[in-house]
Amino acid sequence: MEYQILNTIEEPADLKNLSLQELQLLAKELRQYIIAIIAVKEGHLGASLGVVELTIALHFIFDTPNDLLVWDVGHQAYGHKILTGRRKQFHTNRQLGGLSGFPKREESVYDAFGVGHSSTSISAALGMALASRLKGDLDKQHIAVIGDASIASGIAFEGLNHAGVTDANLLVILNDNAIGIDPSVGALKEYLTKAKVGYKPKESNIIEALNFNYFGPVDGHDLEGLLSILNELNEIKGPKFLHVITKKGKGLKKAEEDQVKYHAPGKFKPETGELLPSSAEGLPLKYQDVFGLTLVELAEKNERIVGITPAMPTGSSLKYMMEAFPGRAFDVGIAEQHAVTLAAGMATQGAIVFCNIYSTFLQRAYDQVIHDVALQDLPVIFCLDRAGLVGEDGATHHGLFDLAFLRAIPNMIVAAPANEIELRQLLYTAQLGLKHPMAIRYPRGRGVQVNWQVPFKALEIGKAVCEKEGQNLAILAIGSIIKNAKLALQEIESEVGLYNMRFVKPLDEVMLHKVFKNYKTVLTLEDGVVTGGFGSAILEFAAANNYRVKIKCLGIPDSFIEHGKITELQEIAGIDVKTIINEVKSLL
């Protein structure tokens, strides 16, 4: 397709000279451009296709970047990036050294606020609006675009609640497509479902109750109508709310029909949307599926088991339990704090709760982990998917802090399986009965064992495993990153010991005493932050026991790691196979 209009747009100011007919042609071209690039380069597809007209209308009516535009989460911001001077770089999206998959302040003046986690846009835009008033700028507009799944989160309500008692120039635009990554859930979703273009249910309008001027619902794909309503809103001061109804995946039939799969579909044929074949035959299962299928097996025999996930039934594979035992598995929406305290409440009544949260999202519920679970010593089982480096989603989504922040909490058991068989056995062990809360963290992607579905066997809490005896130097590894150590040792002729520590808390002190008495040098390896993490625990153990062994810690350095392939990022962090080989040779 020729991009007759799109190729002339270098910045939003270029939109101002276009006629309505030209803007409508631009919408068609922009949608096709996104499809063409993502079909080959991969990325988040459906969300951006759904807001093409809205994106064009916002940049046409408002004076960006002087007027400040905040996209919630950022999955839907590809069109925004393309129209704000990044069209020629868009093919580098989510690649090492290329554009971020999310809005990012360092990348462009048009990215008013960095995002990645949900529901932050209203608070951020309100903060900007109040700061503008303090500076005497009463004309600047501040726009937050938020989805119907994200607006149900606690922080979004907190922002709305505050904004409603201010006179800030804030426009909240609800991009209502009835789905986040999975279909939206909850009572607010039920209300929004009743709203149609041109029809606003009179009863129970929570937005108007919060002192917002409520406009809509309007058709998010009617460009002329959007231009008209946004032009009107641009002249109104104070907090305003526009309800826009869109279709996720708009313009690509298959993306409209299967919105979950086409949220981030991988490679596909741009003409039809048909996914390119990729055979998983003979490959190990994904860790998330080992979790999901094992939990169903356990739940069949243990009626006390329940599962909880905050809006990630597909990503976490809790969907298998939701299908098998719908009354015992709960998708609570984008509500990590609620998920953790809900799990705590269930645990007080004897339920065996598996609370599955991506590692990066558990950061949002840290107080609840401490105050509601650990302080009361409730045996909630946290299953932390996407731990370690996750790849192309970058700094907002890496699960790098969990070992450090969980290790600091009294009563917590913290485990990291080396492979999917260990994950399976840890899940089994946890449901046998715990006296304390437990976190089991595991990575994104496929495991290393094809035959993972072995008979269940309990693992001893706090017990490490010696994978290989050695002399002079021992590698102490935690979690799935041990595979890099194993590959490294295949290239090293010297006898190096390798220990799968399995637990960060409690540490296997019996094993550690043997290691520190028998080896002159210890190398620790983890795929979490090295500051305060597993390596720090080993250093503390050595200091407490007056060992004078040389210790070197490999892990994520004290900086944010950006986006790229996991192998590329491991190299940057210094936990790749080659770095391990060089470190071992240097220490020997």
Side-chain angles (χ1 to χ4, degrees):
M1 178 179 182
E2 289 188 23
Y3 302 104
Q4 178 185 343
I5 306 291
L6 182 59
N7 283 342
T8 68
I9 308 299
E10 299 299 334
E11 58 181 358
D14 296 331
L15 298 173
K16 315 285 186 183
N17 302 319
L18 300 180
S19 66
L20 174 62
Q21 188 176 5
E22 288 171 322
L23 289 171
Q24 289 168 334
L25 177 58
L26 174 63
K28 186 177 179 182
E29 291 181 2
L30 180 56
R31 195 167 263 121
Q32 287 304 313
Y33 189 76
I34 293 170
I35 290 169
I37 298 291
I38 303 306
V40 177
K41 300 293 184 179
E42 303 186 28
H44 296 103
L45 179 69
S48 285
L49 294 184
V51 295
V52 164
E53 289 82 5
L54 178 60
T55 303
I56 291 171
L58 284 168
H59 282 296
F60 184 89
I61 295 296
F62 294 100
D63 181 26
T64 56
N66 295 315
D67 289 333
L68 299 172
L69 174 58
V70 181
W71 297 91
D72 206 90
V73 182
H75 288 150
Q76 75 283 56
Y78 288 177
H80 159 80
K81 291 200 172 206
I82 292 164
L83 295 178
T84 54
R86 288 167 277 182
R87 183 184 78 254
K88 293 173 183 174
Q89 294 83 41
F90 187 63
H91 68 280
T92 70
N93 188 47
R94 302 171 81 242
Q95 297 172 41
L96 185 67
L99 296 180
S100 168
F102 302 96
K104 189 174 178 182
R105 279 168 53 84
E106 307 96 280
E107 194 176 284
S108 171
V109 294
Y110 292 95
D111 293 355
F113 199 74
V115 290
H117 292 193
S118 86
S119 314
T120 60
S121 60
I122 297 172
S123 296
L126 175 60
M128 295 169 185
L130 293 175
S132 293
R133 292 194 71 81
L134 290 171
K135 292 190 292 186
D137 191 345
L138 305 182
D139 295 321
K140 184 189 289 280
Q141 291 288 0
H142 312 81
I143 305 112
V145 182
I146 186 168
D148 55 286
S150 293
I151 203 169
S153 182
I155 184 177
F157 273 111
E158 291 164 24
L160 289 169
N161 187 47
H162 182 192
V165 294
T166 72
D167 54 2
N169 272 348
L170 174 68
L171 170 59
V172 176
I173 297 178
L174 173 61
N175 172 33
D176 180 6
N177 57 22
I179 191 169
I181 295 175
D182 286 283
S184 303
V185 296
L188 180 61
K189 181 248 185 177
E190 299 299 326
Y191 169 79
L192 294 175
T193 301
K194 297 173 188 173
K196 308 293 181 193
V197 172
Y199 169 68
K200 175 181 70 176
K202 289 186 175 63
E203 74 284 356
S204 308
N205 190 318
I206 191 171
I207 305 303
E208 289 181 334
L210 291 169
N211 296 334
F212 274 76
N213 287 317
Y214 180 103
F215 297 83
V218 299
D219 181 355
H221 304 299
D222 173 11
L223 188 52
E224 185 175 9
L226 285 172
L227 291 168
S228 175
I229 188 68
L230 289 175
N231 192 51
E232 181 183 344
L233 289 168
N234 195 21
E235 302 303 318
I236 299 173
K237 305 296 184 186
K240 309 165 285 290
F241 189 96
L242 175 62
H243 187 170
V244 178
I245 294 178
T246 63
K247 192 172 189 69
K248 189 172 182 178
K250 176 74 173 175
L252 187 65
K253 190 166 184 291
K254 286 191 177 293
E256 293 180 21
E257 293 170 347
D258 192 342
Q259 295 177 334
V260 173
K261 184 176 287 184
Y262 281 82
H263 171 73
K267 291 183 169 64
F268 61 92
K269 294 179 180 177
E271 306 82 15
T272 63
E274 182 183 347
L275 298 179
L276 296 183
S278 58
S279 174
E281 190 176 342
L283 295 176
L285 211 60
K286 291 180 179 179
Y287 278 94
Q288 68 187 58
D289 291 329
V290 171
F291 160 79
L293 296 170
T294 299
L295 193 61
V296 171
E297 275 186 77
L298 296 172
E300 286 170 348
K301 297 174 181 175
N302 189 338
E303 293 182 354
R304 293 167 58 204
I305 289 176
V306 296
I308 296 173
T309 183
M312 288 293 176
T314 299
S316 71
S317 290
L318 190 69
K319 64 180 182 181
Y320 296 124
M321 187 169 176
M322 293 173 73
E323 292 163 2
F325 301 102
R328 293 162 56 194
F330 303 89
D331 174 7
V332 301
I334 303 175
E336 292 84 2
Q337 292 176 311
H338 167 59
V340 172
T341 305
L342 178 72
M346 287 182 163
T348 67
Q349 301 306 302
I352 299 171
V353 188
F354 287 83
C355 185
N356 189 303
I357 302 182
Y358 285 13
S359 171
T360 186
F361 298 146
L362 188 67
Q363 295 163 192
R364 313 185 80 183
Y366 192 46
D367 179 63
Q368 285 68 33
V369 174
I370 296 172
H371 181 273
D372 299 335
V373 177
L375 185 61
Q376 304 185 84
D377 213 4
L378 295 170
V380 173
I381 304 149
F382 295 103
C383 300
L384 307 187
D385 198 339
R386 284 16 179 221
L389 294 163
V390 299
E392 290 82 357
D393 279 341
T396 58
H397 282 61
H398 296 317
L400 303 176
F401 303 102
D402 49 9
L403 293 178
F405 73 65
L406 290 171
R407 190 174 78 82
I409 303 173
N411 295 332
M412 283 295 300
I413 300 167
V414 184
N419 54 52
E420 57 274 46
I421 292 176
E422 284 192 8
L423 171 59
R424 175 176 170 81
Q425 305 300 18
L426 284 167
L427 295 172
Y428 171 73
T429 303
Q431 58 87 49
L432 290 175
L434 293 172
K435 294 180 180 178
H436 307 288
M438 181 176 186
I440 305 170
R441 53 106 70 179
Y442 50 93
R444 174 178 181 253
R446 297 192 181 277
V448 292
Q449 308 270 353
V450 175
N451 300 315
W452 61 274
Q453 211 159 10
V454 299
F456 288 119
K457 184 178 99 175
L459 301 179
E460 184 180 341
I461 301 293
K463 184 69 175 172
V465 178
C466 175
E467 298 277 348
K468 180 176 177 286
E469 295 277 5
Q471 296 173 349
N472 296 322
L473 187 147
I475 299 176
L476 308 182
I478 187 74
S480 62
I481 195 68
I482 195 173
K483 68 182 179 185
N484 283 9
K486 289 180 177 179
L487 290 170
L489 292 187
Q490 290 175 9
E491 305 295 320
I492 296 170
E493 293 180 3
S494 303
E495 285 296 314
V496 174
L498 178 62
Y499 294 82
N500 167 17
M501 294 307 294
R502 199 178 278 168
F503 291 88
V504 173
K505 189 174 183 179
L507 287 168
D508 186 343
E509 296 197 357
V510 174
M511 180 77 79
L512 287 176
H513 280 299
K514 288 180 181 177
V515 168
F516 277 88
K517 286 172 182 174
N518 293 328
Y519 293 89
K520 296 176 182 176
T521 307
V522 168
L523 179 67
T524 70
L525 177 64
E526 62 195 297
D527 59 349
V529 290
V530 76
T531 305
F534 166 67
S536 291
I538 300 302
L539 288 168
E540 291 162 16
F541 170 84
N545 290 280
N546 295 313
Y547 285 115
R548 299 185 182 279
V549 168
K550 184 176 182 180
I551 302 171
K552 178 69 181 285
C553 300
L554 296 185
I556 307 301
D558 189 20
S559 60
F560 288 107
I561 305 293
E562 296 303 334
H563 52 278
K565 291 185 174 65
I566 290 176
T567 51
E568 295 171 330
L569 302 182
Q570 286 181 350
E571 190 175 339
I572 289 170
I575 56 174
D576 59 304
V577 175
K578 187 176 179 181
T579 299
I580 296 169
I581 292 171
N582 291 338
E583 287 288 351
V584 169
K585 288 180 176 178
S586 172
L587 290 169
L588 287 172

Coordinates of all heavy atoms in Angstrom, one line a residue, residues 203-240:
E203 N -29.1 5.6 35.5 CA -28.8 5.2 36.9 C -27.4 4.9 37.1 O -26.7 4.4 36.2 CB -29.7 4.0 37.3 CG -29.3 2.7 36.7 CD -29.7 2.5 35.2 OE1 -30.3 3.4 34.7 OE2 -29.3 1.5 34.7
S204 N -26.9 5.1 38.3 CA -25.6 4.7 38.8 C -24.4 5.1 38.0 O -23.5 4.4 37.8 CB -25.6 3.1 38.8 OG -26.7 2.6 39.5
N205 N -24.4 6.4 37.5 CA -23.3 6.9 36.7 C -22.2 7.4 37.7 O -22.3 8.5 38.2 CB -23.7 8.0 35.8 CG -22.6 8.4 34.8 OD1 -21.4 8.5 35.2 ND2 -22.9 8.6 33.6
I206 N -21.3 6.5 38.0 CA -20.3 6.8 39.0 C -19.4 7.9 38.6 O -18.9 8.7 39.5 CB -19.4 5.5 39.3 CG1 -18.6 5.7 40.5 CG2 -18.6 5.1 38.1 CD1 -17.9 4.4 41.0
I207 N -19.2 8.2 37.3 CA -18.3 9.3 36.9 C -19.0 10.6 37.2 O -18.3 11.5 37.7 CB -18.1 9.2 35.4 CG1 -17.5 7.8 35.0 CG2 -17.1 10.3 34.9 CD1 -16.2 7.4 35.7
E208 N -20.3 10.8 37.0 CA -21.0 12.0 37.3 C -21.0 12.2 38.8 O -20.9 13.3 39.3 CB -22.4 12.0 36.7 CG -22.3 12.2 35.2 CD -23.7 12.2 34.5 OE1 -24.6 11.6 35.1 OE2 -23.8 12.8 33.4
A209 N -21.1 11.1 39.5 CA -21.2 11.2 41.0 C -19.8 11.7 41.5 O -19.8 12.2 42.6 CB -21.5 9.8 41.6
L210 N -18.8 11.5 40.8 CA -17.4 12.0 41.1 C -17.2 13.4 40.6 O -16.0 13.9 40.6 CB -16.3 11.1 40.6 CG -16.3 9.7 41.3 CD1 -15.4 8.7 40.6 CD2 -15.9 9.8 42.8
N211 N -18.2 14.2 40.2 CA -18.2 15.6 39.9 C -17.5 15.8 38.5 O -17.0 16.9 38.3 CB -17.5 16.4 40.9 CG -18.3 16.4 42.2 OD1 -19.5 16.3 42.2 ND2 -17.5 16.6 43.3
F212 N -17.5 14.9 37.6 CA -17.0 15.1 36.3 C -18.2 15.4 35.3 O -19.3 14.9 35.5 CB -16.4 13.8 35.7 CG -14.9 13.6 36.1 CD1 -14.5 13.3 37.4 CD2 -13.9 13.9 35.2 CE1 -13.2 13.1 37.7 CE2 -12.6 13.7 35.5 CZ -12.2 13.3 36.8
N213 N -17.9 16.3 34.4 CA -18.8 16.5 33.3 C -18.6 15.3 32.3 O -17.5 15.1 31.8 CB -18.5 17.8 32.5 CG -18.9 19.1 33.3 OD1 -20.0 19.1 33.8 ND2 -18.0 20.1 33.3
Y214 N -19.7 14.6 32.2 CA -19.7 13.3 31.4 C -20.2 13.5 30.0 O -21.3 14.0 29.9 CB -20.5 12.3 32.2 CG -20.5 10.9 31.6 CD1 -19.8 9.8 32.1 CD2 -21.3 10.6 30.5 CE1 -19.8 8.6 31.6 CE2 -21.4 9.3 30.0 CZ -20.6 8.3 30.5 OH -20.7 7.0 30.0
F215 N -19.4 13.1 29.0 CA -19.9 13.2 27.6 C -19.8 11.9 27.0 O -18.9 11.1 27.2 CB -19.0 14.2 26.9 CG -19.0 15.6 27.4 CD1 -18.2 16.0 28.5 CD2 -19.8 16.6 26.8 CE1 -18.3 17.3 29.0 CE2 -19.9 17.9 27.3 CZ -19.1 18.2 28.4
G216 N -20.8 11.6 26.1 CA -20.8 10.3 25.4 C -21.9 9.4 25.9 O -22.8 9.9 26.6
P217 N -21.8 8.1 25.5 CA -20.8 7.5 24.7 C -20.8 7.9 23.3 O -21.9 8.1 22.7 CB -21.0 6.0 24.9 CG -22.0 5.9 26.0 CD -22.8 7.1 26.1
V218 N -19.6 8.0 22.7 CA -19.5 8.3 21.2 C -18.8 7.2 20.5 O -18.1 6.4 21.1 CB -18.8 9.7 21.0 CG1 -19.5 10.8 21.7 CG2 -17.3 9.6 21.5
D219 N -19.0 7.1 19.2 CA -18.3 6.1 18.4 C -16.9 6.5 18.2 O -16.6 7.5 17.5 CB -19.1 6.0 17.0 CG -18.5 5.0 16.1 OD1 -17.5 4.4 16.4 OD2 -19.1 4.8 15.0
G220 N -16.0 5.6 18.7 CA -14.6 5.9 18.5 C -14.0 5.7 17.2 O -12.8 6.0 16.9
H221 N -14.8 5.3 16.2 CA -14.3 5.1 14.8 C -15.0 6.1 13.9 O -14.8 6.1 12.7 CB -14.5 3.7 14.4 CG -13.9 2.7 15.3 ND1 -12.5 2.7 15.5 CD2 -14.4 1.7 16.1 CE1 -12.2 1.7 16.4 NE2 -13.3 1.2 16.7
D222 N -15.8 7.0 14.4 CA -16.4 8.1 13.7 C -15.5 9.3 13.8 O -15.6 10.1 14.8 CB -17.8 8.4 14.2 CG -18.5 9.6 13.5 OD1 -17.9 10.2 12.6 OD2 -19.5 10.1 14.1
L223 N -14.6 9.5 12.9 CA -13.6 10.6 13.0 C -14.2 12.0 13.0 O -13.8 12.8 13.8 CB -12.6 10.5 11.8 CG -11.4 11.4 11.9 CD1 -10.6 11.2 13.2 CD2 -10.4 11.1 10.7
E224 N -15.2 12.2 12.2 CA -15.9 13.5 12.2 C -16.5 13.8 13.5 O -16.4 14.9 14.1 CB -16.9 13.5 11.1 CG -17.6 14.9 10.9 CD -18.5 15.0 9.7 OE1 -18.8 13.9 9.1 OE2 -19.0 16.1 9.4
G225 N -17.2 12.8 14.1 CA -17.8 13.0 15.4 C -16.8 13.2 16.5 O -17.1 14.0 17.4
L226 N -15.7 12.5 16.5 CA -14.7 12.7 17.5 C -14.1 14.1 17.4 O -13.8 14.7 18.4 CB -13.5 11.7 17.3 CG -13.8 10.2 17.7 CD1 -12.7 9.3 17.2 CD2 -14.0 10.1 19.2
L227 N -13.8 14.6 16.2 CA -13.3 15.9 16.0 C -14.2 16.9 16.6 O -13.8 17.9 17.3 CB -13.0 16.2 14.5 CG -11.9 15.4 13.9 CD1 -11.9 15.6 12.4 CD2 -10.5 15.8 14.4
S228 N -15.5 16.7 16.4 CA -16.5 17.7 16.9 C -16.6 17.7 18.4 O -16.5 18.8 19.0 CB -17.9 17.3 16.3 OG -18.9 18.1 16.9
I229 N -16.6 16.5 19.1 CA -16.8 16.5 20.5 C -15.5 17.0 21.2 O -15.5 17.7 22.2 CB -17.2 15.1 21.0 CG1 -17.5 15.1 22.5 CG2 -16.1 14.0 20.7 CD1 -18.7 15.9 22.9
L230 N -14.3 16.6 20.6 CA -13.0 17.0 21.2 C -12.9 18.5 21.1 O -12.3 19.2 22.0 CB -11.9 16.3 20.6 CG -11.8 14.8 21.0 CD1 -10.6 14.1 20.2 CD2 -11.5 14.6 22.4
N231 N -13.3 19.1 20.0 CA -13.2 20.5 19.8 C -14.1 21.2 20.8 O -13.7 22.3 21.4 CB -13.7 20.9 18.4 CG -13.4 22.3 18.0 OD1 -12.3 22.8 18.2 ND2 -14.4 23.1 17.6
E232 N -15.2 20.7 21.1 CA -16.1 21.2 22.2 C -15.4 21.1 23.6 O -15.4 22.1 24.3 CB -17.4 20.5 22.2 CG -18.5 20.9 23.2 CD -19.7 20.1 23.2 OE1 -20.0 19.3 22.2 OE2 -20.5 20.2 24.2
L233 N -14.9 20.0 23.8 CA -14.2 19.7 25.1 C -13.0 20.6 25.3 O -12.7 21.0 26.5 CB -13.9 18.3 25.3 CG -15.0 17.3 25.5 CD1 -14.6 15.9 25.3 CD2 -15.7 17.5 26.8
N234 N -12.3 21.0 24.3 CA -11.1 21.8 24.3 C -11.5 23.2 24.9 O -10.6 23.9 25.4 CB -10.5 21.9 22.9 CG -9.1 22.4 23.0 OD1 -8.4 22.4 24.0 ND2 -8.6 23.0 21.9
E235 N -12.7 23.6 24.8 CA -13.1 24.9 25.3 C -13.7 24.9 26.7 O -14.0 25.9 27.2 CB -14.2 25.5 24.3 CG -13.8 25.6 22.8 CD -12.5 26.4 22.7 OE1 -12.4 27.5 23.3 OE2 -11.6 26.1 21.9
I236 N -13.8 23.7 27.3 CA -14.4 23.6 28.6 C -13.3 23.4 29.6 O -12.4 22.6 29.5 CB -15.4 22.4 28.6 CG1 -16.5 22.6 27.6 CG2 -16.0 22.2 30.0 CD1 -17.5 21.4 27.5
K237 N -13.4 24.2 30.7 CA -12.5 24.1 31.8 C -12.9 23.1 32.8 O -14.1 22.7 32.9 CB -12.3 25.5 32.5 CG -11.9 26.6 31.6 CD -10.6 26.5 30.9 CE -10.2 27.7 30.1 NZ -9.0 27.5 29.3
G238 N -11.9 22.7 33.7 CA -12.3 21.8 34.7 C -12.2 20.3 34.3 O -11.9 20.0 33.2
P239 N -12.6 19.4 35.2 CA -12.5 17.9 35.0 C -13.6 17.5 34.0 O -14.8 17.8 34.3 CB -12.6 17.3 36.3 CG -13.2 18.3 37.2 CD -12.9 19.6 36.7
K240 N -13.3 16.8 33.0 CA -14.2 16.3 32.0 C -14.0 14.8 31.7 O -12.8 14.4 31.8 CB -14.1 17.1 30.7 CG -14.1 18.6 30.9 CD -13.6 19.4 29.6 CE -12.0 19.3 29.5 NZ -11.3 20.1 30.5

